[in-house]
């Protein structure tokens, strides 16, 4: 609805003061021409909003103007009160602040919306942590948060993935929680870095101001970095035959994504076995999985993995045979 869009446009400008028309169009999912028409409509309604051309221009809301339009739709209320974010905010020592803010918001809502809020809390819960125990962020998360918030450089002692300990000055730009794991996005000597906070060995906030790149957007950077990071993962493809009785168990051990591979697979052979190509990160990871599958899965390719599984399985048999002989001899 146009009224909702006009209100959203006004709220965006009230928060930011000035935004390019193309960014407003992207956020509101309309064309730039529509944004300019909406600006004219708001101006005609008495809202002090206008456009400026040239570098640094855009759509501008007069400084000091505020609207008291705070109406929330039912869907917006449900979204605000969905449970689940408190765990991550607790890591930042903001869990109580969230509860206090929601309590104040709840008190300010009309009675009909209060009921919507309570229904949302009781019917939808967002669990953002994986099944495995969450990784501890370590004792320096609060220090990093303070540096990010106050735009101060950090002196970090950091343990790299290979175990090497380094000391660096970092411009901290933002914190990101990914599946319960905290990361620091920052710059070292002008180069962007993503650091796992659990590996921080020491952190000291300096008096030097943080050098923040012009136009830096944390969410956009994280999305781009995540995509590049996933694309850089090593891939070790393995062609296997899977026994018919093991096919229903595959989603439990390889994840629900295996359903797509099963749907794309060729028909079973005469014995009911199906052929799949699975992807692992390393030879060792693939070998471990294949050994765990036992005789339910046969490796077809690569040959090195087929031989590696057979050799390792023989070592296991020999190991336990030796132990069995020792026990029998003692008896």
């Amino acid at each position: 609805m146009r009224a909702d869009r006009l209100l959203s446009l006004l709220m965006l400008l009230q928060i930011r003061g000035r935004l390019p028309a193309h960014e407003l169009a992207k956020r509101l999912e309309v064309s730039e021409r529509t944004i300019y028409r909406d600006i004219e409509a708001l101006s005609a309604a008495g809202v002090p909003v206008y456009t400026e051309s040239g570098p640094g221009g855009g759509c501008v809301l007069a400084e000091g103007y505020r609207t008291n339009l705070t109406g929330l739709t039912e869907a917006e209320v449900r979204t605000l009160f969905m449970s689940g974010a408190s765990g991550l905010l607790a890591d930042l020592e903001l869990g109580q602040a969230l509860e206090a803010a929601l309590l104040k918001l709840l008190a300010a809502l009309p009675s009909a919306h209060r009921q919507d809020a309570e229904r949302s809390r009781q019917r939808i819960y967002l669990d953002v942590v994986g099944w495995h125990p969450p990784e501890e962020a370590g004792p320096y998360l609060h220090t990093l948060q303070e540096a990010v918030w106050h735009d101060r450089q950090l002196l970090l002692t950091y343990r790299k993935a290979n175990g090497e300990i380094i000391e660096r000055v970092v411009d901290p730009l933002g914190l990101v929680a990914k599946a319960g794991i905290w990361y620091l996005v920052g710059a070292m000597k002008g180069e962007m870095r993503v650091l796992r906070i659990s590996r921080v060995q020491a952190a000291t906030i300096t008096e030097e101001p943080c050098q923040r790149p012009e136009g830096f957007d944390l969410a956009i950077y994280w999305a781009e970095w995540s995509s590049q990071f996933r694309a850089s993962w090593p891939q070790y493809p393995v062609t296997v035959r899977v026994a018919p009785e093991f096919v229903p168990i595959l989603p439990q051990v390889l994840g629900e994504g295996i359903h797509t591979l099963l749907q794309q697979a060729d028909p079973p052979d005469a014995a009911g076995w199906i052929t799949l190509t699975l992807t692992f990160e390393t030879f060792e990871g693939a070998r471990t999985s294949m050994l765990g599958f036992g005789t339910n899965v046969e490796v077809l390719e690569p040959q090195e993995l087929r031989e590696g599984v057979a050799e390792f399985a023989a070592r296991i048999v020999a190991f336990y045979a030796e132990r069995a002989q020792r026990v029998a001899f003692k008896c």
Side-chain angles (χ1 to χ4, degrees):
M1 294 176 61
R2 191 187 186 201
D4 291 338
R5 188 177 70 246
L6 290 174
L7 179 57
S8 296
L9 191 156
L10 180 56
M11 291 297 183
L12 284 170
L13 291 178
Q14 183 169 301
I15 294 171
R16 300 288 292 275
R18 179 193 305 268
L19 282 172
H22 67 82
E23 184 171 341
L24 285 168
K26 181 179 179 181
R27 293 191 179 209
L28 299 177
E29 299 181 346
V30 295
S31 66
E32 290 187 39
R33 179 176 297 181
T34 298
I35 292 297
Y36 287 123
R37 286 201 299 263
D38 288 348
I39 293 293
E40 292 178 0
L42 288 171
S43 180
V47 178
V49 61
Y50 54 94
T51 61
E52 291 182 348
S53 58
C59 302
V60 184
L61 182 65
E63 186 176 355
Y65 178 82
R66 289 291 181 271
T67 176
N68 60 359
L69 294 175
T70 57
L72 295 173
T73 67
E74 179 182 344
E76 291 167 343
V77 171
R78 289 202 308 265
T79 302
L80 285 172
F81 284 88
M82 285 182 184
S83 301
S86 57
L88 293 176
L89 290 177
D91 290 343
L92 299 175
E93 301 182 6
L94 295 175
Q96 292 184 346
L98 172 65
E99 292 300 318
L102 291 178
L103 183 61
K104 292 176 182 177
L105 178 59
L106 188 62
L109 289 174
S111 57
H113 280 347
R114 291 178 197 165
Q115 184 177 1
D116 292 334
E118 183 59 26
R119 285 173 63 86
S120 177
R121 291 172 73 98
Q122 295 299 327
R123 285 164 174 76
I124 300 177
Y125 183 83
L126 306 178
D127 188 350
V128 298
V129 180
W131 288 111
H132 299 293
E135 177 181 89
E136 292 291 337
Y140 300 105
L141 179 59
H142 184 66
T143 301
L144 303 185
Q145 178 193 1
E146 288 295 308
V148 168
W149 187 255
H150 295 292
D151 290 323
R152 288 290 182 268
Q153 287 187 342
L154 281 162
L155 178 62
L156 286 186
T157 302
Y158 186 76
R159 176 176 53 81
K160 298 171 66 174
N162 62 4
E164 179 186 356
I165 302 295
I166 62 172
E167 187 174 85
R168 295 287 188 275
V169 174
V170 180
D171 287 310
L173 305 178
L175 298 174
V176 176
K178 173 73 170 179
I181 299 175
W182 283 97
Y183 296 88
L184 172 69
V185 177
M188 293 182 181
K189 298 180 179 179
E191 295 187 3
M192 296 297 296
R193 292 286 187 271
V194 174
L195 306 177
R196 198 158 174 156
I197 292 179
S198 61
R199 295 180 184 157
V200 173
Q201 307 296 296
T204 303
I205 301 176
T206 74
E207 294 300 321
E208 294 298 319
C210 172
Q211 302 299 316
R212 197 172 187 87
E214 184 177 355
F216 175 77
D217 187 292
L218 180 61
I220 293 176
Y221 174 80
W222 181 260
E224 294 174 349
W225 180 87
S226 298
S227 178
Q228 295 172 3
F229 180 68
R230 285 194 297 268
S232 70
W233 284 353
Q235 294 189 344
Y236 189 83
V238 178
T239 303
V240 299
R241 290 176 69 238
V242 182
E245 62 271 15
F246 195 65
V247 171
I249 304 175
L250 282 177
Q252 301 177 27
V253 293
L254 296 177
E256 293 297 321
I258 196 67
H259 286 298
T260 301
L261 289 179
L262 292 172
Q263 293 170 0
Q264 298 172 350
D266 292 333
D269 60 20
W273 290 56
I274 62 171
T275 300
L276 299 174
T277 297
L278 307 176
T279 302
F280 299 88
E281 292 187 23
T282 63
F283 166 85
E284 290 77 12
R287 184 179 62 183
T288 299
S289 294
M290 295 304 109
L291 288 167
F293 295 156
T295 58
N296 293 302
V297 176
E298 178 189 3
V299 177
L300 300 180
E301 294 180 346
Q303 185 64 26
E304 66 167 355
L305 179 61
R306 184 180 176 91
E307 294 173 355
V309 170
E311 186 271 336
F312 207 94
R315 286 164 54 188
I316 293 175
V317 171
F319 176 85
Y320 281 101
E322 180 185 357
R323 293 301 186 276
Q325 289 179 355
R326 290 181 182 179
V327 172
F329 179 76
K330 291 180 180 179
C331 294

